[in-house]
Amino acid sequence: MRVDEVFNLASTIEPLNKSEILPLSTAVGRILAKDIIANRSLPAFDNSALDGYAFAYADINNPLKIKGVILAGDKSSYKIAPNECYKIMTGAIFPDGADTVVMIENEQFDNNGNLIVPLDTPQNNAKKIKGEEIKSGELLLSKNSKLTPANIMLLAAQGISYIEVIKEPKIAIFSSGNEINEPWDECDNLSIYNANGFGIISALNQHGFKSEYKGILKDEISSIKDAIENSNDYDIIITSGGASKGEADYMNQVLNMLGFEILFDSIDVRPAKPTKCYKKGSKLIFVLPGNPMSCLLAVYIAVLPYLKKLAGHNDYMLESQIAKFKGNLKFKASRANIVIGTAENGEFRATNNNIYSPSMIKPISLSNYIYISDVGQNGICDNQEIKIYKIS
């Protein structure tokens, strides 16, 4: 399957039909489970945006008698007559009859202590009108909105302290292979340490998703089957290794046996193949390549968009930008190719001239963006504008 087809298929994934209620203070980054309607106007009353003097603009040419001071939090009613004003603090209720504020830094007085308003003071200056931001009964935030710090402030300003959000997918991470050892175990020179599991966990965490590492799957049908069956309470299972057509790659056989349908069995791009995705109900299982670079790139271009869509994100695709490529590259046109590199000041440069092996880790550790070529494209040239995707 082409990369663009993998991206398009992600749009068909339905968010989990699960929600939970969280304290507002812990809900940043989460996704709203339902529309939120404003229960009060913002501002809730006419008030001053700054410290100054509230007066009627019609009296701007006249000395104004200062009747008193209105402090923020004072709920009394105040009114001015012609040629009067009140000293007013930021957030204080506006007096009836006033429509403009002269900021306190511009105060001037005549010999009788009356306020002289600078003639360049604009009408309606610094008066915040009830409901000018939001009116009671209006849609405040829509379902599937991401709770940014600003959105959290909007909710708090409505007196909301708990909020219903889409429950995040429960994710299990496995590694696969008899040759794999954990970093805390001894490893001889003919075995390798498990780098993939920790790369996957970190990439998910980087995008706000918690996961649970469940260990190494041995290359045995019974072991793989038991592990999958014992993970029924997880919404997503991610494994690395066992994705190719080697004699000891049993994952496809086991998942067929357990009734999973395949969404895609390969991504036609170097070096993120072979990458597979299976579905049963709302559960997704990703089988990623065993080579570390291939594995991590597959997480970014395949796993994360599907995971975000399952979690209810509207912006589920990788962050992207347009940049000018610096240099010249040639590659095989028979497939899509991933160029790893760094982006800075609107320019993208390939790491090590894009010479790498899918088994390597260091080249991608030096990179923060990738470019994905089209099938049939045989290269990119200097100063060509390209779309790149952020990976770190």
Side-chain angles (χ1 to χ4, degrees):
M1 183 176 286
R2 298 193 314 267
V3 176
D4 63 317
E5 292 175 326
V6 172
F7 287 164
N8 289 337
L9 188 59
S11 67
T12 68
I13 300 298
E14 293 293 332
L16 290 175
N17 189 26
K18 302 176 183 178
S19 65
E20 60 183 338
I21 296 176
L22 296 179
L24 196 61
S25 59
T26 66
V28 68
R30 300 297 294 272
I31 306 298
L32 273 179
K34 60 183 180 181
D35 291 345
I36 302 296
I37 304 300
N39 55 41
R40 61 185 281 145
S41 297
L42 287 180
F45 51 87
D46 294 353
N47 68 90
S48 177
L50 47 78
D51 294 342
Y53 297 85
F55 69 99
Y57 188 79
D59 297 331
I60 192 170
N61 295 306
N62 305 323
L64 304 178
K65 179 181 178 181
I66 302 170
K67 292 191 66 178
V69 179
I70 307 176
L71 300 175
D74 184 346
K75 298 179 182 179
S76 302
S77 296
Y78 295 92
K79 185 176 181 178
I80 61 168
N83 300 324
E84 292 181 340
C85 69
Y86 271 99
K87 190 172 187 179
I88 192 168
M89 299 296 104
T90 302
I93 295 175
F94 231 72
D96 288 343
D99 59 13
T100 305
V101 176
V102 57
M103 61 193 302
I104 202 167
E105 290 84 353
N106 294 336
E107 64 183 14
Q108 299 175 35
F109 306 100
D110 64 13
N111 293 333
N112 296 317
N114 296 317
L115 179 72
I116 304 299
V117 179
L119 296 181
D120 60 355
T121 303
Q123 188 173 8
N124 301 314
N125 184 55
K127 182 179 181 181
K128 295 164 65 179
I129 307 296
K130 177 181 178 179
E132 68 178 12
E133 185 176 358
I134 297 164
K135 291 182 174 59
S136 178
E138 289 183 344
L139 177 66
L140 184 71
L141 291 172
S142 59
K143 179 181 178 180
N144 293 118
S145 294
K146 187 174 184 178
L147 290 177
T148 63
N151 285 342
I152 294 288
M153 292 177 76
L154 270 179
L155 294 170
Q158 293 287 312
I160 296 172
S161 58
Y162 284 82
I163 192 69
E164 186 177 356
V165 298
I166 294 178
K167 197 166 186 177
E168 291 192 326
K170 192 174 181 182
I171 307 167
I173 309 293
F174 291 94
S175 291
S176 176
N178 292 334
E179 76 282 12
I180 301 295
N181 289 275
E182 301 290 16
W184 51 83
D185 292 332
E186 291 187 11
C187 186
D188 60 42
N189 291 333
L190 297 179
S191 299
I192 59 175
Y193 281 118
N194 174 22
N196 289 3
F198 296 90
I200 296 169
I201 291 167
S202 299
L204 299 189
N205 189 56
Q206 176 188 24
H207 287 261
F209 293 104
K210 297 177 181 178
S211 58
E212 297 179 36
Y213 179 61
K214 307 295 287 184
I216 297 172
L217 297 175
K218 295 304 180 183
D219 293 327
E220 302 168 351
I221 288 180
S222 59
S223 296
I224 296 171
K225 185 173 180 290
D226 288 345
I228 300 299
E229 289 181 323
N230 290 332
S231 302
N232 281 333
D233 57 338
Y234 292 90
D235 302 296
I236 291 182
I237 298 173
I238 304 172
T239 74
S240 63
S244 69
K245 297 180 181 178
E247 291 184 2
D249 293 333
Y250 301 120
M251 187 62 69
N252 183 64
Q253 185 177 342
V254 170
L255 293 178
N256 284 334
M257 187 187 310
L258 294 176
F260 283 83
E261 62 173 306
I262 193 156
L263 289 185
F264 55 84
D265 62 1
S266 182
I267 304 177
D268 188 16
V269 62
R270 178 188 182 270
K273 64 178 185 181
T275 295
K276 304 175 188 292
C277 179
Y278 298 79
K279 187 174 187 291
K280 183 178 181 181
S282 62
K283 183 190 291 289
L284 295 176
I285 295 184
F286 291 91
V287 185
L288 308 183
N291 280 324
M293 185 184 295
S294 299
C295 174
L296 191 55
L297 287 173
V299 172
Y300 285 113
I301 68 175
V303 176
L304 280 168
Y306 284 71
L307 175 54
K308 288 184 176 182
K309 192 64 166 58
L310 197 68
H313 291 247
N314 288 321
D315 54 341
Y316 57 90
M317 292 302 299
L318 287 177
E319 181 182 336
S320 63
Q321 69 177 69
I322 302 298
K324 285 188 176 180
F325 182 68
K326 305 306 291 183
N328 290 279
L329 277 184
K330 296 293 182 183
F331 32 69
K332 290 183 178 180
S334 59
R335 67 187 178 208
N337 295 271
I338 293 178
V339 179
I340 60 174
T342 54
E344 187 176 7
N345 298 324
E347 297 179 343
F348 178 71
R349 290 174 170 80
T351 300
N352 195 34
N353 206 35
N354 213 44
I355 298 172
Y356 59 79
S357 162
S359 63
M360 292 179 174
I361 302 174
K362 188 171 182 179
I364 198 170
S365 77
L366 300 174
S367 307
N368 61 0
Y369 278 81
I370 60 172
Y371 168 69
I372 306 173
S373 73
D374 295 325
V375 176
Q377 181 182 345
N378 60 11
I380 42 179
C381 58
D382 192 45
N383 285 325
Q384 181 177 340
E385 287 194 340
I386 57 174
K387 184 177 184 178
I388 57 175
Y389 297 92
K390 187 175 183 180
I391 60 170
S392 66

